[in-house]
Amino acid sequence: MPSPTEPTELLATWEAGLAAGPVRRAVLLHALTGAEDGGRLEVPVGRRDRELFSLRRTLFGERLNGRVTCLDCETEQEFGFDVGNVLGGAMDEPAEVLAHSGDWAIRLRLPTSGDLLAAAAAGPEGARRELVTRCTIEAKHRGQPSSVDDLPAAAQTAMADSLAEADSAADVRLTMPCVECGRTTSATVDIVSYLWAELDAWARAVMLEVHLLASAYGWAEPEVLALSPTRRRFYLELVGHG
């Protein structure tokens, strides 16, 4: 497949993702990492997101910048996050995860992109049940097999907590004190949202460059995209748009 740094491949992914939701966009972005079509939906979310962090480093660099709002005083502040914080640690991907809540014991597997797509298709009312059903291997109440439909809210919360602990790359968070009131605020580093926003900004800038150079020189889009970014900037300066 083309290199993920090739403009044509990136633009095709951007175009396909414009009308897609977050889960489908994650799948499209994951394809840029070289993940095989057949197995892409079966990859655990944490592994997928690690690969997206690596893709982000390749495309846009090590440092990721974001903003977070304090829940107390509503002060907004910026934060910086190094992609290496996720990629540097060992990947722990257990085949099964155990969750306990009161008299309940549940065996789980890590959720995948396919699970998230199915949950999204189930709609707001059915998403949680779909995800619980798909990821539960066995649920027991007081040692006896039980239906996932009987799982109480506390058990489902315990399941979510156990999965997050077992697959930390699927839920990357950082905490920081508010510069105004000092309250500790948590920020989620959602690599799919950040990477898509950066790809969207890049694609719109490249499309503008194509428009300007095609208008000035009569070149077709493939001819403009075949130029390196440095040469495109040089031509843009020559036509007064640099």
Side-chain angles (χ1 to χ4, degrees):
M1 67 175 290
S3 164
T5 56
E6 288 188 8
T8 52
E9 184 75 4
L10 295 175
L11 286 173
T13 298
W14 169 73
E15 184 178 6
L18 283 174
V23 180
R24 177 58 65 183
R25 283 177 178 174
V27 174
L28 291 169
L29 290 169
H30 193 207
L32 291 172
T33 68
E36 295 294 331
D37 289 346
R40 199 158 57 235
L41 298 183
E42 299 176 5
V43 174
V45 173
R47 190 199 312 173
R48 179 204 72 188
D49 284 1
R50 284 174 64 96
E51 292 174 359
L52 291 181
F53 272 108
S54 181
L55 175 65
R56 196 275 174 187
R57 171 190 275 173
T58 298
L59 296 178
F60 301 113
E62 178 75 22
R63 192 73 168 172
L64 188 154
N65 297 311
R67 303 183 71 86
V68 63
T69 301
C70 177
L71 296 178
D72 272 357
C73 67
E74 299 185 348
T75 296
E76 189 176 60
Q77 63 190 53
E78 296 182 350
F79 68 84
F81 182 83
D82 289 335
V83 171
N85 291 333
V86 176
L87 301 178
M91 184 172 64
D92 184 16
E93 192 178 287
E96 291 187 8
V97 177
L98 299 178
H100 297 275
S101 175
D103 295 327
W104 287 89
I106 308 103
R107 292 169 51 222
L108 305 158
R109 64 167 175 78
L110 298 176
T112 66
S113 289
D115 296 327
L116 297 184
L117 281 174
E125 298 299 323
R128 186 182 183 90
R129 183 185 184 283
E130 181 71 20
L131 197 57
V132 168
T133 300
R134 291 174 67 95
C135 294
T136 299
I137 300 172
E138 182 183 55
K140 287 187 175 182
H141 182 242
R142 296 179 179 175
Q144 298 300 314
S146 185
S147 169
V148 294
D149 291 331
D150 297 328
L151 287 166
Q156 295 186 38
T157 298
M159 293 164 64
D161 291 342
S162 296
L163 288 173
E165 183 178 353
D167 198 15
S168 58
D171 186 21
V172 178
R173 297 174 182 268
L174 58 87
T175 57
M176 67 188 74
C178 175
V179 294
E180 291 295 330
C181 69
R183 169 176 172 159
T184 299
T185 300
S186 175
T188 299
V189 186
D190 180 359
I191 183 57
V192 175
S193 295
Y194 280 104
L195 184 53
W196 175 259
E198 291 174 311
L199 179 62
D200 183 63
W202 171 87
R204 293 176 188 277
V206 168
M207 295 294 284
L208 178 58
E209 291 178 0
V210 169
H211 166 70
L212 294 172
L213 293 180
S215 298
Y217 295 104
W219 295 334
E221 182 183 88
E223 294 175 300
V224 176
L225 295 178
L227 299 171
S228 68
T230 299
R231 292 174 67 185
R232 284 205 301 271
R233 285 196 299 270
F234 181 76
Y235 281 115
L236 286 168
E237 290 176 1
L238 290 177
V239 296
H241 296 286

